[in-house]
Amino acid sequence: DAMVIQNPRYQVTQFGKPVTLSCSQTLNHNVMYWYQQKSSQAPKLLFHYYDKDFNNEADTPDNFQSRRPNTSFCFLDIRSPGLGDAAMYLCATGRLAGGHEQFFGPGTRLTVL
Amino acid sequence: AQSVTQLGSHVSVSEGALVLLRCNYSSSVPPYLFWYVQYPNQGLQLLLKYTSAATLVKGINGFEAEFKKSETSFHLTKPSAHMSDAAEYFCAVSGQGAQKLVFGQGTRLTINP
């Protein structure tokens, strides 16, 4: 089945230690998104790629970076995680055609010690 | 600009009772509207979407929603709640040409036995 895959599902890191979260898709969608979701809140868009074009949200901290080496993969890099970065990180994909629905992966739960 | 308001951060119903989750939107362009469901420690799953075809939209798991332009509403209903419906529900809006979704704050649905 076509899907969005996130690895790992659970990630523990130390304060200030860089961490990378991974997302891959078999849907061949041209748009990939990264969201941060804290407890009992809606997902917050960090940035997205339309093909190779990177689109950063204005309020995304510089501590968060992303890479998309090809259509299938996208990475979220947190350069120096703080305690406030502990959250669920969701990857999603979408197409510009049609109803603009997004397809979400299962998420990575990040814990910062 | 687009926005979504979900009335009620927490809704509780008895098993077998009607489920009604409210969503009002604001959009300067004809909207696309979505309902997503999120189970604990999971990503978001699309329940249904409105893309300017039929105003009554049927989704998965027995849910449906009606687009009412005059009321700028897109409320989610299910005739008979099941214990497995307990989850967080998000309403979202996007517009023609938009690459992003705007989410409501979410409604946590609890089902009482």
Side-chain angles (χ1 to χ4, degrees):
Chain A
D1 287 342
M3 57 177 59
V4 181
I5 302 164
Q6 290 189 244
N7 286 305
R9 291 293 315 280
Y10 298 90
Q11 176 74 58
V12 179
T13 191
Q14 292 182 333
F15 183 94
K17 184 175 181 180
V19 66
T20 294
L21 308 183
S22 170
C23 177
S24 64
Q25 56 140 336
T26 60
L27 297 163
N28 202 33
H29 287 165
N30 53 3
V31 191
M32 294 188 77
Y33 305 83
W34 278 106
Y35 290 88
Q36 180 192 65
Q37 186 181 29
K38 296 189 175 180
S39 183
S40 300
Q41 295 183 19
K44 178 181 181 298
L45 183 64
L46 295 173
F47 25 61
H48 73 281
Y49 277 93
Y50 172 39
D51 290 331
K52 292 185 180 293
D53 292 336
F54 178 70
N55 299 271
N56 199 29
E57 293 301 296
D59 58 353
T60 297
D62 292 340
N63 198 28
F64 292 87
Q65 305 285 320
S66 186
R67 296 169 283 135
R68 189 180 185 185
N70 54 52
T71 301
S72 300
F73 284 87
C74 196
F75 300 97
L76 170 62
D77 301 308
I78 308 176
R79 294 193 297 186
S80 181
L83 297 179
D85 297 327
M88 175 75 91
Y89 289 87
L90 296 168
C91 174
T93 70
R95 301 170 293 183
L96 285 187
H100 305 290
E101 65 202 86
Q102 294 182 18
F103 298 82
F104 286 80
T108 295
R109 170 78 61 189
L110 178 68
T111 300
V112 182
L113 301 178
Chain B
Q2 296 167 313
S3 66
V4 173
T5 301
Q6 292 184 238
L7 298 176
S9 59
H10 195 171
V11 171
S12 182
V13 302
S14 298
E15 190 175 17
L18 171 72
V19 175
L20 171 60
L21 304 183
R22 299 177 187 274
C23 172
N24 288 89
Y25 70 92
S26 172
S27 179
S28 56
V29 297
Y32 296 130
L33 292 157
F34 308 86
W35 275 100
Y36 284 88
V37 61
Q38 185 177 32
Y39 299 100
N41 285 314
Q42 296 291 326
L44 276 67
Q45 179 183 8
L46 182 68
L47 275 177
L48 49 80
K49 65 178 181 180
Y50 167 77
T51 57
S52 75
T55 56
L56 182 62
V57 181
K58 294 188 183 300
I60 62 171
N61 301 339
F63 285 94
E64 63 181 36
E66 186 172 9
F67 173 71
K68 292 187 176 181
K69 184 178 180 180
S70 61
E71 299 177 8
T72 61
S73 69
F74 190 58
H75 300 333
L76 181 70
T77 60
K78 182 174 180 177
S80 178
H82 192 274
M83 295 299 291
S84 61
D85 295 326
E88 188 88 19
Y89 291 79
F90 292 97
C91 181
V93 65
S94 72
Q96 181 67 34
Q99 295 182 14
K100 299 188 285 189
L101 292 175
V102 175
F103 285 94
Q105 73 273 32
T107 298
R108 181 172 299 275
L109 177 64
T110 301
I111 310 298
N112 302 314

